[in-house]
Amino acid sequence: MRTKILLLFLFGWVGMVSAQIETKVFELDLGKPSKNALTATDSSNKLVIKTNQLLSFDLKNANPYKYKYVINHRFVDLYEGQGYNPLDSIGKVVPIKNAMTQNSEKKNDSIFQEHNSMSEFSTNFIQGKKAANNDEDKANIKNATKVLEKSFNDLKVDIDSYIVKISAEDFLDKNKFDSIRKTFNNSYINLLSASQNIGNEAENFPQTSEYFSKKLKPIDSVSVKIKNEILKMYQLKLYNYLLPVDINGKNIDVVEVTLERYDRSVANPIPDKYVFNVWVKGGLKIDISGGVFLTSLMDKEYETKDDTGNNKFIYTKEKGDYDFGFGSMINLSLRGGSWVRPALSIGALFTTNQKFQILTGFGLILGKEERLVLHGGLTMGAVSRISDQFKTNGEISYDLGTEGTVATNNKFSFGHFFGITYNFGKVKKQEPAR
């Protein structure tokens, strides 16, 4: 029974801990660094994160063709090192004349089942050669080879022109980019399959096969360049998240996020740069501040008026209700990521008479970085008071001797205070990783 209870307790505790861990995602617009480029994805719309949350960033509007991005002093690679290769499915292109005779299971593996739209010139070539004699077939192969070479070059020009175009834009349209790279990929696959079919037919004639092989060398060179550009397009991640940052248990007030954007077309670019602060909410924060105070706990001073002989009437000097002093406070508050938050304060001050007093009370912290604190509460300390044997009502005179000194003693007492202080401590930041 005890074992079951212990297991239930452990499972409940683990469930509670795991339920408390969540990731808060902020959108970081890479289109142009500005103060509004970092936004919260939840309804709060504030750059605030709880201490028990993981911090992550969703990168938007990137264009790695034009810019290099550095976040927190680390280069952001928007390309997958490995991943889906859109050309992996090509393998050995199945010739049309063989594909027509294979069973349905083989057809499912054929590139033509995935891309059943052949290029126009290849379709005409296949249809035209059915009724041609050998001489016409050879001429048809040579003409198709010329068209094939031109089509590869045209596709390379189209891809290069598109890259030049997007390299001048601040950010990519994800949907349009995805559609265009698919179009380029399909066109490239169709050209590869057409090249395979023309080559298969050219093998029937030695001289024509030699001609095709000679023409294929420059075509292959262009083909490799096209393949590399298309692979780069497919390796570009259109949806990018940075790995979460764990701030739990760290004595920080804010997570500093730096964004730098470098223009790739410039030899030594001066980066666009912006710094964002994500404020931390929750956890105990301790600040030390110093400033000026008004205290109701002050020494009393007395004056005398002659009566007969050495007798004198005693009166209390009117000095006002408050004394002035300088001091410092230790402020305990909960991190809130806000401009105003309450605090518990304890400290000490020295009055103008160099009397030491202990302070305790409440504070109101104003500001995030340059912070003022308003204070109020209870003050304690020793003050000078007249001896209990004397009255200061002016009705009784006392023999104060030849010097006429009023006897006083120090008494521990309580009062209240008000004050305003400035926070000495700097904002504790999560330094960017280097």
Side-chain angles (χ1 to χ4, degrees):
M1 184 65 180
R2 291 182 179 177
T3 303
K4 291 182 179 179
I5 294 176
L6 181 59
L7 288 175
L8 288 174
F9 173 78
L10 289 175
F11 283 132
W13 181 79
V14 171
M16 251 170 58
V17 172
S18 60
Q20 292 175 350
I21 299 176
E22 60 181 41
T23 300
K24 184 167 183 178
V25 180
F26 294 86
E27 287 187 359
L28 183 53
D29 189 346
L30 302 180
K32 185 176 182 180
S34 70
K35 66 178 182 179
N36 298 319
L38 185 65
T39 56
T41 57
D42 58 15
S43 58
S44 69
N45 200 30
K46 295 180 179 179
L47 301 184
V48 176
I49 185 173
K50 296 179 181 178
T51 54
N52 60 349
Q53 289 178 320
L54 298 177
L55 174 63
S56 185
F57 300 96
D58 180 9
L59 306 183
K60 300 291 186 180
N61 296 329
N63 185 2
Y65 283 94
K66 183 176 182 180
Y67 296 110
K68 181 179 79 169
Y69 302 95
V70 176
I71 298 178
N72 288 3
H73 307 300
R74 289 181 176 175
F75 170 64
V76 179
D77 188 3
L78 299 177
Y79 294 94
E80 296 280 6
Q82 294 179 345
Y84 170 68
N85 185 339
L87 305 180
D88 285 343
S89 58
I90 295 176
K92 290 185 177 179
V93 180
V94 181
I96 284 185
K97 62 182 181 181
N98 293 334
M100 301 296 287
T101 61
Q102 290 179 340
N103 57 38
S104 59
E105 182 178 354
K106 290 292 184 180
K107 285 183 178 180
N108 288 335
D109 293 334
S110 172
I111 193 64
F112 306 116
Q113 292 299 112
E114 298 179 19
H115 306 281
N116 51 19
S117 58
M118 289 290 294
S119 60
E120 182 179 355
F121 80 89
S122 182
T123 302
N124 293 337
F125 162 70
I126 296 298
Q127 292 177 347
K129 76 183 187 63
K130 292 180 180 178
N133 56 41
N134 287 346
D135 291 337
E136 292 174 341
D137 198 8
K138 293 177 183 179
N140 192 24
I141 292 171
K142 290 185 178 181
N143 290 333
T145 303
K146 294 178 181 178
V147 176
L148 180 68
E149 183 177 13
K150 182 178 184 301
S151 298
F152 268 100
N153 289 328
D154 288 346
L155 179 58
K156 178 65 167 59
V157 170
D158 289 343
I159 293 176
D160 290 343
S161 298
Y162 177 67
I163 291 175
V164 170
K165 177 178 178 295
I166 61 177
S167 296
E169 298 174 353
D170 279 341
F171 60 88
L172 293 177
D173 184 318
K174 292 186 294 187
N175 294 330
K176 186 176 181 181
F177 178 80
D178 187 45
S179 175
I180 290 178
R181 71 181 179 181
K182 287 178 180 178
T183 299
F184 285 147
N185 187 53
N186 289 340
S187 299
Y188 181 53
I189 289 175
N190 286 335
L191 290 178
L192 290 177
S193 59
S195 175
Q196 182 75 59
N197 283 288
I198 296 171
N200 289 341
E201 189 64 24
E203 289 179 357
N204 296 324
F205 311 100
Q207 291 182 345
T208 307
S209 178
E210 183 179 350
Y211 170 84
F212 179 77
S213 298
K214 182 179 180 181
K215 288 290 185 180
L216 194 61
K217 290 181 180 180
I219 292 176
D220 282 342
S221 176
V222 175
S223 177
V224 170
K225 295 178 181 178
I226 293 174
K227 177 183 176 181
N228 291 337
E229 291 296 344
I230 293 177
L231 283 176
K232 184 178 178 182
M233 287 183 180
Y234 271 88
Q235 288 172 347
L236 177 61
K237 297 178 289 184
L238 298 181
Y239 298 92
N240 302 279
Y241 287 86
L242 298 186
L243 292 177
V245 178
D246 186 6
I247 62 171
N248 195 17
K250 297 182 178 180
N251 184 27
I252 57 174
D253 304 311
V254 63
V255 179
E256 184 178 274
V257 182
T258 61
L259 168 61
E260 297 175 351
R261 191 180 68 168
Y262 296 81
D263 193 331
R264 292 183 181 274
S265 63
V266 180
N268 296 305
I270 299 175
D272 297 325
K273 183 176 180 179
Y274 206 85
V275 179
F276 308 94
N277 287 329
V278 179
W279 294 91
V280 178
K281 180 178 182 180
L284 187 64
K285 176 172 176 56
I286 301 176
D287 284 323
I288 298 177
S289 59
V292 295
F293 297 88
L294 293 176
T295 174
S296 66
L297 195 60
M298 51 193 288
D299 289 339
K300 296 288 186 179
E301 294 185 11
Y302 305 95
E303 59 185 0
T304 61
K305 185 177 181 181
D306 293 338
D307 191 9
T308 59
N310 291 330
N311 284 6
K312 297 180 183 293
F313 294 103
I314 303 174
Y315 299 91
T316 302
K317 283 186 178 181
E318 186 60 42
K319 295 177 57 180
D321 297 326
Y322 295 96
D323 196 4
F324 179 76
F326 296 91
S328 64
M329 299 289 282
I330 298 175
N331 308 297
L332 286 78
S333 63
L334 294 177
R335 292 186 177 91
S338 59
W339 289 94
V340 180
R341 69 177 188 271
L344 292 175
S345 302
I346 184 171
L349 68 83
F350 281 96
T351 66
T352 52
N353 293 332
Q354 296 186 348
K355 286 294 187 70
F356 177 79
Q357 295 182 11
I358 298 175
L359 310 175
T360 180
F362 295 96
L364 194 63
I365 300 176
L366 308 175
K368 287 186 175 182
E369 296 192 33
E370 302 293 335
R371 290 168 291 184
L372 294 177
V373 187
L374 302 179
H375 300 276
L378 180 69
T379 179
M380 300 165 280
V383 290
S384 178
R385 293 287 187 266
I386 193 170
S387 177
D388 292 338
Q389 62 182 331
F390 298 115
K391 303 295 181 184
T392 59
N393 53 16
E395 297 178 357
I396 304 174
S397 63
Y398 301 93
D399 185 358
L400 301 180
T402 57
E403 295 183 0
T405 304
V406 179
T408 60
N409 52 38
N410 288 329
K411 180 180 179 181
F412 191 82
S413 186
F414 296 88
H416 60 274
F417 77 94
F418 303 98
I420 181 170
T421 61
Y422 178 79
N423 177 41
F424 291 132
K426 295 182 178 180
V427 173
K428 297 179 180 178
K429 297 182 179 182
Q430 169 76 47
E431 294 294 335
R434 293 183 180 272

